[in-house]
Structure formats: C-alpha cells, structure tokens
Amino acid sequence: MIEGFSNILGKTNPMSGPKNQTAGSPIFTARVNNIILSEEDEGWDENGEFASIGYIHFNNPVLPKNNQRNIARPLFSNQKYYPLKNELVYLIGLPSTDINKDPASLTYYYFQSINIWNSNHHNAIPDEIFSKQLPPEQQQDYKTVGLGVVRQVTDESTEIDLGYTFEERSNIRTLQPYEGDYILEGRWGNSIRFGSTVFSGNPSNLWSDSGNNGDPIIILRNGQYENGQDPWIPIIEDINQDSGSIYLTSTQKINITPPTVSYNSYSTQPTAINEYVEPQVIINSGRLVFNSFQDHVLLSSKKSVGLNAVESVNIDTPKTVIQSKEVYLGGKEATEPVLKGDATIAELSDLVQELISLGLAMQTVVHPAFAPVTTVLNDYLFKLNQINANLLTKTKSTYSKTL
C-alpha cells in the first residue's frame, strides 16, 4: 500500500532531481502544510499580506519529516479551489513577478487538490500513511483494493488535521453522477448539477419520469439529507428532504410536496406543481425571503399569481392598491356588489333627513288625537338626528377606498 503511493509520487516529484527545477518542469505533487487565508496565518507578512491570500506552504509528500517550506500560489485567478492541510495538490513552475528582470525566474502555482479519495468533502492524506505510523483507530479507515487504497470511515472518526476550523464530517456524500453530467460540488453537501433526464438510470433519480433522455435540468442544492446508508455511497438530490434547492426544468416532473395545495379560488385550476412538464423554476427551502433594498419587487404572470398558505396571507404596508376590473371577496362565486361608501352615506343621509322633516311637520299639527304622540316624536327626532350625525362621522373607513 505505502510502496504504491511512493512510486507514483516519486515519478512526478521535482525534488528527486535538479533537472526538474528548471523552466518548463513537469507537473509534480506536493502536500499542503498550511494555507494563508488571513493575517493570523503563517507567512502573511512576508508574502505580501492581502496579496498572499490563497498561498500555500508545501513539502514533499514522500518525505514526511521534510521541513522545507516552499510557497505556491493559486494558478487560476477567477476560480478558487482552496485546499486543506494535508491534502495533495499538483504544482507547476511558471514565471514569477520578477519575469521582467529575469526571464528565467520561476515560482510555483498549484491546481486544485488531487482527488485521491474521490471525495467532495476532503482528500487529505496524512504523513503517517507513508511512514506506517497510523494509530490503530485510524488504520481501519484505509483499505487496500485492486488499484490502491480507499478510505471508508465507519466510526465517524475525525483524527486528520485539516486546519484550524475545518472539521471532518464522515456523513458528507458525493452526488450520484449520470451520463453526461457536469457537477460542481462543495465540501459540505452543496452542489450544482448540470444534468438531464435519464430514463433507466441506475440508480434511478427523482426527475426522470417524463420527457426524453437528454432533456436539460439544473439542480442547485445546499445541504444534504440523511438516508441511513454508508457515507461512501453516493447520494441523489431530493427536493423534499434537502435543506434548500432550486430546480430549473425543461420537461421534468418534480414531485415536490407543498405544505398546502388549494386552488378553490380558480374557475379553471392550474396544473399541479408535481404534474407540470413544461419549463419551470422551483425554489424550495425552510424559509424564502425576497428583498429589494433599493427598488421594487415585481411579480408578473401571463395567467395568474396564486398564493397558498397553511395559516394566513399577511400584508403590512402604509398603502395597498388593488387595481382590477373585477374583485371577488369571499370566493369566486361571490355575486353581491360592494357598496360605495360616499354614495351610500349620501343616500342614507338624505333618507334620514326626509324622515326628520316628516317628524317636524307632524309636530306642527294641532289636534287632540296627536297629543299622546308628541313625546314619541321628540324621541324619534332625537334618534334620527343622532343617526344622521353618525352616518357622516363614524361609518366611513379611513383606510379602505373603492371606485
């Protein structure tokens, strides 16, 4: 096991011979001793402070006790793959910042980490593997197979030194790939899959029940679920169990389970989310926040905008405007029209005023038969005047208006 790794690394090791230290040297392997990410990291000051972000200290992986402190910079300026301590990277000697003074001046640049364990979480390989000094509790994690060594952690151990803050999680899985996939995976169960419909895929997935092989789909996922399988078995996205996800579909049916589905307000109900086979974008998480810090939040639809909630739909704003040719309150079968406030008050006030005038006229009638009615008329007129005053001052809303 150890000898196999040593032979492979020795063939691409620039420290094995002086001829490899010249311009145009082949790509070689090194182990990360330290990475500079902030002013607290070793090498910050002497390597240019902020200009040194992403630099690594490295040494020869086949010499575990080597104290050489070489420096390598990230090769790519716009794509950052920061390695962890004890991961292996491949490096190349290329022109340094002194190239104008000395065309032969070189510095080391590193590519991304070597995928030695085929893991998206980390690919660290401690010195002790080569020097055969692994403690017994870690030896069980490394098994010899036909092509070398595989790492399968069964006891949730996290003994490898990966840096200051990075703590190994043995339950982080890589995504199950399918033919033609282009997948970007982070180290913590976050990923972007540029994939497609795959009928008869093995194992099957949750988005290939409709359309044709090769129909495109993009799945963005943050946080994976637990399915009880061994941590080295790949996992497949599940929109109902992942912590958060965005699906951009073309012909796929996505079997999402919303907390509530009700289309009772519709005369013709829309196609259910999990039955729709046209292009759609689905955003799903424990909570969604759409915030505009400067301008508007605009929702537009060719057909309708449907809102569903288990508890309530709340609107808190200084002003609410609904402009529509038809507004139905209480349900789509509503037929009773809403009264116009000012017009209704005016009509009722006129009616009350006519009744008051009638009562005053009756008070002027002199006849013995009307004597008992006088007291009743007084009370009647008092109440009518009170009703009229209330109509004008207490019946109109100061918040809601209608046309």
Side-chain angles (χ1 to χ4, degrees):
M1 176 183 72
I2 309 306
E3 289 75 13
F5 273 120
S6 300
N7 290 337
I8 292 173
L9 296 173
K11 292 178 181 179
T12 58
N13 177 24
M15 302 175 188
S16 61
K19 65 179 181 180
N20 292 319
Q21 299 288 345
T22 61
S25 63
I27 296 173
F28 64 94
T29 305
R31 172 180 283 106
V32 178
N33 286 339
N34 176 51
I35 181 168
I36 302 174
L37 297 175
S38 72
E39 63 271 15
E40 297 180 357
D41 294 317
E42 180 183 353
W44 172 266
D45 293 327
E46 57 267 35
N47 288 289
E49 299 179 344
F50 290 99
S52 69
I53 290 178
Y55 285 21
I56 62 169
H57 293 105
F58 68 88
N59 65 12
N60 186 344
V62 298
L63 298 175
K65 299 305 180 182
N66 185 6
N67 293 321
Q68 186 173 353
R69 306 294 288 181
N70 289 303
I71 289 289
R73 308 176 182 189
L75 178 61
F76 302 110
S77 59
N78 298 316
Q79 300 180 40
K80 308 299 174 64
Y81 305 95
Y82 293 124
L84 296 171
K85 184 177 181 179
N86 276 316
E87 284 189 322
L88 301 180
V89 294
Y90 46 104
L91 295 87
I92 188 170
L94 294 172
S96 73
T97 54
D98 294 328
I99 187 172
N100 289 332
K101 299 177 181 178
D102 180 6
S105 175
L106 293 179
T107 190
Y108 292 125
Y109 297 85
Y110 69 86
F111 298 79
Q112 63 193 68
S113 304
I114 297 175
N115 189 25
I116 199 165
W117 302 126
N118 198 26
S119 168
N120 59 309
H121 187 44
H122 79 78
N123 285 278
I125 184 166
D127 286 351
E128 289 80 2
I129 289 182
F130 299 103
S131 61
K132 302 181 181 181
Q133 296 177 359
L134 274 181
E137 64 270 15
Q138 291 188 51
Q139 291 178 5
Q140 62 179 353
D141 296 344
Y142 300 91
K143 300 178 181 179
T144 303
V145 295
L147 294 178
V149 178
V150 296
R151 185 170 189 261
Q152 295 182 349
V153 180
T154 57
D155 59 356
E156 299 186 0
S157 59
T158 56
E159 297 92 351
I160 301 177
D161 183 5
L162 300 172
Y164 297 115
T165 64
F166 193 101
E167 296 181 1
E168 181 181 10
R169 294 183 183 178
S170 61
N171 62 338
I172 298 295
R173 307 163 184 273
T174 187
L175 277 183
Q176 172 65 46
Y178 296 94
E179 290 182 359
D181 279 353
Y182 180 69
I183 299 175
L184 300 175
E185 289 190 79
R187 296 182 184 268
W188 302 104
N190 36 15
S191 61
I192 303 177
R193 181 196 296 267
F194 297 86
S196 66
T197 296
V198 184
F199 283 109
S200 303
N202 185 22
S204 61
N205 57 53
L206 301 177
W207 60 85
S208 296
D209 294 332
S210 61
N212 300 295
N213 280 335
D215 289 346
I217 186 171
I218 298 176
I219 302 175
L220 187 152
R221 171 199 63 147
N222 183 49
Q224 68 177 27
Y225 61 94
E226 292 295 333
N227 61 6
Q229 293 184 318
D230 291 325
W232 54 84
I233 298 177
I235 199 167
I236 302 172
E237 299 97 331
D238 187 329
I239 194 170
N240 293 308
Q241 297 190 71
D242 291 327
S243 298
S245 51
I246 300 176
Y247 282 60
L248 289 83
T249 73
S250 56
T251 64
Q252 297 82 7
K253 288 195 299 186
I254 306 301
N255 192 26
I256 185 173
T257 305
T260 178
V261 178
S262 175
Y263 302 119
N264 294 332
S265 63
Y266 284 84
S267 299
T268 302
Q269 296 189 357
T271 304
I273 301 173
N274 54 9
E275 293 295 331
Y276 195 70
V277 292
E278 299 294 332
Q280 66 176 331
V281 177
I282 301 174
I283 304 175
N284 186 59
S285 189
R287 181 174 179 174
L288 299 180
V289 177
F290 296 92
N291 179 67
S292 172
F293 70 88
Q294 180 172 327
D295 208 89
H296 309 281
V297 174
L298 303 174
L299 299 178
S300 178
S301 172
K302 186 174 182 179
K303 291 188 175 181
S304 70
V305 175
L307 299 177
N308 253 282
V310 174
E311 295 184 2
S312 65
V313 175
N314 297 20
I315 300 176
D316 297 288
T317 178
K319 185 178 182 180
T320 302
V321 179
I322 300 175
Q323 181 171 333
S324 177
K325 293 181 179 180
E326 296 180 78
V327 177
Y328 293 85
L329 300 177
K332 62 178 180 286
E333 305 297 337
T335 57
E336 294 290 331
V338 176
L339 296 177
K340 294 183 177 180
D342 287 342
T344 301
I345 295 302
E347 293 296 327
L348 290 175
S349 181
D350 288 345
L351 174 60
V352 171
Q353 195 61 52
E354 289 298 322
L355 292 174
I356 291 173
S357 298
L358 177 61
L360 291 173
M362 291 177 66
Q363 281 184 325
T364 63
V365 177
V366 179
H367 192 282
F370 279 87
V373 183
T374 303
T375 303
V376 176
L377 279 174
N378 290 334
D379 292 339
Y380 166 76
L381 290 171
F382 175 79
K383 290 181 179 179
L384 285 175
N385 280 292
Q386 190 176 44
I387 290 172
N388 193 45
N390 290 340
L391 282 173
L392 299 174
T393 60
K394 294 185 177 181
T395 55
K396 297 182 182 180
S397 171
T398 58
Y399 301 104
S400 300
K401 309 291 182 183
T402 186
L403 292 176

